[in-house]
Amino acid sequence: MAHNQVNEIDELFKELKTAPGFRSYLVLNSDGILIRWDHGARFSPMTYQKAVQHAHHIDNLYIKSVERAKYLSIDPQDSRIENIRVRSEEYEMIISKQGGYTLAVLQDDGGEFEVDERVEN
């Protein structure tokens, strides 16, 4: 039974890799430790060190987002974070946490990245 589940997961990741704009993925356990990642052979390869660095930042971002959502929300039911979407100049990252695992998918950003010059620090 468990062997079939592994095959289903592998099939899911194979299908994910065929999606337009796909770059890479990372899977973290409940402690934020990287347990699986795609090397991103179609683009610049993601080394193990870079994947671990991404995992650390993803875990911290998710934890801080949950804390801020609780702080901002009046109703605790409304403060549940399902997905986080981050866009940079290089790519877009979608982070989702289900059960004890976190999945982060890196994909093309889908267009030009615009910087608003009116924003002052």
Side-chain angles (χ1 to χ4, degrees), residues 3-120:
H3 181 66
N4 289 339
Q5 289 176 344
V6 172
N7 288 337
E8 290 175 20
I9 292 170
D10 287 339
E11 289 300 317
L12 175 70
F13 285 127
K14 284 179 186 176
E15 185 178 329
L16 181 64
K17 289 179 183 182
T18 63
F22 172 83
R23 285 190 173 209
S24 185
Y25 69 84
L26 296 101
V27 179
L28 317 177
N29 68 8
S30 60
D31 295 326
I33 297 172
L34 179 70
I35 57 174
R36 188 171 182 168
W37 87 101
D38 179 60
H39 300 273
R42 291 192 304 177
F43 298 96
S44 60
M46 183 179 291
T47 63
Y48 175 74
Q49 290 81 9
K50 183 106 171 166
V52 169
Q53 183 181 27
H54 270 72
H56 171 74
H57 293 301
I58 289 166
D59 193 48
N60 282 338
L61 175 65
Y62 191 86
I63 290 168
K64 289 178 181 181
S65 297
V66 169
E67 289 173 2
R68 291 288 99 197
K70 287 179 184 175
Y71 174 76
L72 294 172
S73 180
I74 295 170
D75 183 10
Q77 297 296 330
D78 290 339
S79 66
R80 184 169 166 253
I81 302 284
E82 292 182 11
N83 297 309
I84 299 172
R85 192 172 200 154
V86 179
R87 185 173 177 196
S88 73
E89 292 181 8
E90 293 181 40
Y91 52 78
E92 184 174 44
M93 183 184 300
I94 301 169
I95 305 164
S96 181
K97 188 167 194 157
Q98 295 293 321
Y101 298 95
T102 303
L103 172 66
V105 176
L106 284 68
Q107 63 184 18
D108 291 337
D109 65 359
E112 296 276 331
F113 186 82
E114 297 178 22
V115 176
D116 191 350
E117 299 293 333
R118 299 176 293 173
V119 177
E120 296 179 19

